[in-house]
């Protein structure tokens, strides 16, 4: 079996098994990739099933408690908009793009999470300004490849409207197409967020989300066509994947409001929390971490949380670690489908209905993720296609941690240390 020198990985944020299973006929590009390649139908995500931990698992083959990206955002209780895990320096294990870089391969990434400040050759990092003294241009220049981002912005900046969708995906796809044609990177990582955004705001199976899925199908075609123009198509393996799926919600749980009522923290009207907390909920949307400081009533805490409407299960620290979650948490709480958690500590009620008029405000959604990956009907999916991949094959299931070693093999590389996942050998031609 020969190794091919180009790999294009496209993450369609929130793509689920159900999307391909139920809508394949409406998606000409993905349909062609499925029939001409290998579709691994149901992929089990990591816990919590959030974008940043998931994308880090996808390119490291490790669980969050090993790679270090345990949530989307950091614990910064005094800030209404905490920092995200934007920077690669927080990743504690080798990545696929570092492995490629060490083997003298050119790499490119477009809004791939947790790549700010990395050694990716052509990097347009996912980061946004959340300090009043900075702006998008400055933070992007600092986090990305400066000359590259200036060139892309000059060429395609007119397509963008801040971070609004679908314009952002149009901009990012144009940048990826240009780079593939003109730079011919060996590894291209592309993260498209249109459908995830629509699901959060309008619901998982909404007309808006389905329209986004059809737009994403067209973006995938643009990228494939770019490899044809570049003359690299025959030597390129393609991967189309999801990082998680979503579940519709109509109620939110404010555990920090409950803790404030018990005197375990002080919630402020701007929804920040004073530093002197002893118990803190840190949301992962469909689940939430519980952290404690100088607090001994853990069994009582479990009982209090278990009695809240919408709580499905409370995991101990040991159970959370066994699931691959943050080893520093005291407890981890899973919501029932239809419920999700916020960090807000000064609401009137602990459980509150989500109303359509709330959409557009922070932490107000009609669809979310972050749940236990084993919730029914909640699997993501992955499609492989290219010269190294078997045609017209399906594999019933795999795990998200299996993807990184499989990508490494497609590039003829091998990770230096044992991974949590295993190569999906069934996709490869004999």
């Amino acid at each position: 079996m020969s190794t091919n020198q180009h790999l294009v990985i496209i993450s369609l944020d929130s793509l689920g098994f159900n999307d391909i299973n139920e809508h394949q006929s409406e998606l000409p590009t993905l349909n062609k990739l499925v029939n001409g390649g290998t579709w691994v139908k149901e992929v089990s995500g990591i816990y919590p099933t959030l974008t940043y931990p998931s994308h880090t698992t996808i390119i490291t083959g490790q669980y969050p408690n090993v790679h270090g990206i345990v949530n989307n955002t950091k614990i910064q209780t005094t800030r209404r908009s905490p920092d995200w895990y934007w920077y690669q320096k927080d990743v504690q294990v080798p990545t696929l793009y570092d492995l490629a870089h060490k083997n003298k391969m050119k790499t490119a990434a477009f809004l791939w999470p947790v790549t700010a400040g990395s050694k990716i050759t052509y990097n347009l990092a996912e980061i946004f300004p959340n300090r009043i003294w900075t702006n998008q241009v400055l933070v992007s220049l600092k986090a990305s490849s400066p000359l590259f981002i200036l060139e892309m912005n000059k060429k395609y900046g007119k397509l963008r409207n801040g971070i609004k969708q679908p314009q952002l995906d149009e901009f990012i796809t144009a940048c990826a197409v240009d780079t593939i044609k003109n730079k011919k990177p060996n590894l291209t990582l592309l993260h498209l967020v249109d459908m995830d955004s629509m699901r959060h705001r309008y619901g998982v199976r909404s007309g808006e989300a389905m329209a986004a899925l059809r737009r994403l199908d067209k973006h995938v075609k643009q990228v494939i066509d770019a490899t044809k123009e570049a003359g690299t198509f025959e030597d390129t393996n393609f991967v189309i994947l999801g990082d998680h799926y979503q579940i519709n919600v109509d109620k939110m749980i404010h555990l920090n409001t409950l803790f404030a009522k018990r005197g375990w923290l002080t919630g402020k009207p701007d929804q920040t929390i004073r530093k002197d907390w002893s118990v803190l909920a840190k949301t992962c949307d469909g689940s939430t971490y519980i952290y404690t400081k100088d607090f001994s009533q853990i069994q009582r805490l479990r009982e209090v949380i278990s009695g809240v409407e919408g709580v499905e299960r409370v995991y101990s620290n040991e159970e959370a670690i066994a699931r691959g979650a943050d080893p520093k948490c005291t407890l981890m709480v899973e919501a029932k489908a239809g419920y999700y958690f916020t960090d807000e500590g000064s609401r009137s009620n602990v459980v509150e209905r989500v109303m359509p008029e709330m959409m557009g405000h922070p932490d107000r959604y009609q669809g979310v993720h972050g749940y236990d990956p084993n919730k029914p009907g909640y699997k993501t999916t992955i499609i492989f296609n290219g010269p190294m991949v078997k045609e017209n094959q399906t594999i019933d299931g795999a795990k998200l941690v299996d993807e990184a070693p499989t990508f490494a093999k497609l590039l003829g590389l091998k990770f230096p240390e044992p991974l949590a996942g295993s190569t999906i050998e069934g996709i490869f031609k004999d």
Side-chain angles (χ1 to χ4, degrees):
M1 181 183 68
S2 64
T3 299
N4 298 99
Q5 289 303 299
H6 297 93
L7 176 62
V8 174
I9 301 172
I10 306 176
S11 166
L12 308 182
D13 201 303
S14 92
L15 181 74
F17 163 70
N18 291 345
D19 293 318
I20 307 296
N21 196 44
E22 297 171 13
H23 298 275
Q24 190 176 331
S25 62
E26 305 162 39
L27 307 167
T29 307
L30 296 185
N31 180 52
K32 193 172 180 181
L33 290 171
V34 168
N35 291 328
T38 298
W39 176 28
V40 184
K41 294 160 80 170
E42 295 192 287
V43 175
S44 298
I46 46 95
Y47 200 36
T49 44
L50 288 177
T51 299
Y52 278 39
S54 296
H55 277 85
T56 308
T57 290
I58 286 166
I59 46 93
T60 65
Q62 303 285 13
Y63 287 102
N65 61 353
V66 174
H67 64 56
I69 309 303
V70 297
N71 205 331
N72 281 345
T73 60
K74 300 185 175 186
I75 299 173
Q76 295 172 336
T77 62
T78 59
R79 303 195 64 240
R80 184 67 185 98
S81 177
D83 290 325
W84 290 55
Y85 282 95
W86 289 309
Y87 283 86
Q88 195 212 341
K89 66 176 186 286
D90 290 316
V91 180
Q92 296 164 10
V93 296
T95 67
L96 180 70
Y97 52 81
D98 283 334
L99 197 58
H101 178 77
K102 284 179 180 172
N103 283 270
K104 305 290 189 286
M105 291 180 167
K106 283 192 289 185
T107 53
F110 304 88
L111 293 199
W112 195 271
V114 205
T115 59
S118 68
K119 292 180 180 177
I120 292 170
T121 319
Y122 308 106
N123 189 23
L124 208 165
E126 180 165 283
I127 188 169
F128 54 86
N130 66 339
R131 300 285 200 280
I132 56 171
W133 58 82
T134 189
N135 60 51
Q136 185 66 58
V137 173
L138 289 175
V139 296
S140 292
L141 283 172
K142 181 175 181 286
S144 307
S145 311
L147 295 176
F148 174 65
I149 199 170
L150 286 170
E151 179 191 358
M152 291 298 101
N153 211 47
K154 185 177 178 182
K155 283 185 174 181
Y156 306 111
K158 61 183 179 294
L159 297 175
R160 201 176 62 224
N161 181 16
I163 59 170
K164 289 181 179 172
Q165 292 290 6
Q167 296 93 331
L168 182 60
D169 276 8
E170 290 169 7
F171 167 70
I172 288 303
T173 302
C175 294
V177 164
D178 184 291
T179 305
I180 288 168
K181 289 197 294 193
N182 295 305
K183 308 286 201 294
K184 300 180 177 58
N186 302 100
L187 171 64
T188 302
L189 301 169
L190 175 60
H191 177 218
L192 299 174
V193 193
D194 187 1
M195 182 165 61
D196 184 70
S197 299
M198 298 304 163
R199 288 186 156 153
H200 280 308
R201 183 153 190 166
Y202 300 105
V204 180
R205 315 301 287 169
S206 62
E208 291 86 350
M210 293 302 100
L213 179 57
R214 290 189 289 273
R215 287 194 292 270
L216 291 171
D217 189 79
K218 291 176 182 174
H219 288 322
V220 173
K221 184 179 188 301
Q222 288 175 270
V223 173
I224 294 170
D225 288 346
T227 67
K228 293 176 180 176
E229 287 191 52
T232 56
F233 174 75
E234 302 295 336
D235 194 36
T236 299
N237 291 294
F238 297 92
V239 179
I240 315 300
L241 60 83
D243 52 343
H244 53 69
Y245 191 39
Q246 283 205 32
I247 292 174
N248 285 330
V249 291
D250 56 15
K251 286 188 176 180
M252 51 190 165
I253 306 170
H254 312 296
L255 286 185
N256 284 334
T257 293
L258 174 67
F259 301 158
K261 292 177 189 292
R262 292 183 168 266
W264 295 339
L265 60 77
T266 304
K268 297 167 77 173
D270 64 355
Q271 299 308 334
T272 60
I273 291 166
R274 275 177 37 177
K275 285 182 180 178
D276 59 351
W277 55 268
S278 57
V279 180
L280 180 74
K282 175 63 177 169
T283 182
C284 306
D285 289 349
S287 61
T288 187
Y289 288 119
I290 306 294
Y291 298 95
T292 57
K293 291 190 298 190
D294 303 320
F295 186 85
S296 58
Q297 305 171 56
I298 305 303
Q299 186 53 40
R300 178 66 186 136
L301 177 60
R302 286 193 73 143
E303 291 168 2
V304 168
I305 294 169
S306 297
V308 174
E309 177 193 341
V311 168
E312 184 170 278
R313 180 163 179 183
V314 181
Y315 291 102
S316 67
N317 167 263
E318 294 78 13
E319 289 171 321
I321 292 171
R323 303 297 306 280
D326 187 1
K328 294 178 182 174
C329 74
T330 302
L331 302 169
M332 193 162 185
V333 187
E334 175 75 9
K336 293 177 181 175
Y339 292 80
Y340 72 98
F341 297 99
T342 82
D343 287 342
E344 296 165 41
S346 60
R347 303 295 296 180
S348 300
N349 299 306
V350 175
V351 180
E352 187 177 357
R353 185 166 290 280
V354 184
M355 308 305 289
E357 58 267 23
M358 295 177 178
M359 294 306 109
H361 294 280
D363 304 322
R364 300 296 182 262
Y365 308 115
Q366 296 203 67
V368 304
H369 42 98
Y371 296 98
D372 183 322
N374 295 319
K375 260 194 168 41
Y378 187 54
K379 294 289 192 287
T380 183
T381 196
I382 185 167
I383 303 163
F384 295 88
N385 189 294
M388 292 176 68
V389 179
K390 287 180 180 175
E391 295 176 16
N392 199 24
Q393 294 284 316
T394 60
I395 294 172
D396 287 338
K399 296 177 180 177
L400 207 70
V401 288
D402 298 333
E403 295 180 355
T406 309
F407 301 155
K409 185 170 179 176
L410 285 166
L411 280 172
L413 305 174
K414 192 167 179 23
F415 278 89
E417 58 188 56
L419 304 183
S422 305
T423 305
I424 310 170
E425 297 290 353
I427 75 161
F428 293 95
K429 288 178 178 174
D430 297 327

